[in-house]
Amino acid sequence: MTDQQRYEAGMAVRRQVLGDAHVDRAVAGTDEFTTDFQDLITRYAWGEIWTREGLDRRTRSCVTLAVLATLHHDEELAMHVRAALRNGLTRDEIGEVLLQVAVYAGVPAANRAFKVAQETLRQEAQ
């Protein structure tokens, strides 16, 4: 697969998982400074990893939520809570992932993640 094909596949998956509005905002905010970074994440995170057949998108969402919660990446966590819903996870399943984080990454990490997820889910319900 060429870099261009990987980019196109990545952009398609990125739009399916995050939604057109989010991706359009990210693309619109790209400038000379961030162009290479946007290209990198589109080709490799989305075009190389999220397109692999080894895990389905629901499972990839679970893993992503757990890692982001563990590392306290709250903004990305909120974005991926919305993505997890788009990938078919329920509120209860998202909660189960965060309970798993509590046991393996610590209660403080899960406490913070539950707050982020709670607010994000509340916004999505409106």
Side-chain angles (χ1 to χ4, degrees), residues 5 10-11 47 72 79 96 110 125:
Q5 291 169 321
M11 188 57 79
H72 303 283
M79 177 180 72
E96 289 296 323

Side-chain angles (χ1 to χ4, degrees), residues 53-116:
E53 295 181 10
L55 297 173
D56 62 22
R57 288 191 188 161
R58 288 174 45 83
T59 304
R60 288 190 193 283
S61 281
C62 290
V63 171
T64 302
L65 292 173
V67 171
L68 293 173
T70 299
L71 296 174
H72 303 283
H73 294 306
D74 296 349
E75 188 175 317
E76 290 282 319
L77 177 60
M79 177 180 72
H80 277 280
V81 166
R82 288 186 290 276
L85 294 170
R86 291 177 70 85
N87 284 334
L89 269 72
T90 65
R91 294 171 57 97
D92 289 343
E93 289 169 326
I94 292 168
E96 289 296 323
V97 169
L98 299 181
L99 285 172
Q100 194 83 2
V101 167
V103 171
Y104 289 97
V107 170
N111 184 48
R112 183 181 190 134
F114 266 104
K115 287 178 184 174
V116 170

Side-chain angles (χ1 to χ4, degrees), residues 8-21:
E8 290 169 7
M11 188 57 79
V13 171
R14 192 176 178 189
R15 287 185 176 283
Q16 292 164 0
V17 172
L18 300 178
D20 287 330

Side-chain angles (χ1 to χ4, degrees), residues 21-33:
H22 174 84
V23 175
D24 289 345
R25 281 190 305 275
V27 169
T30 301
D31 61 15
E32 184 178 312
F33 182 69

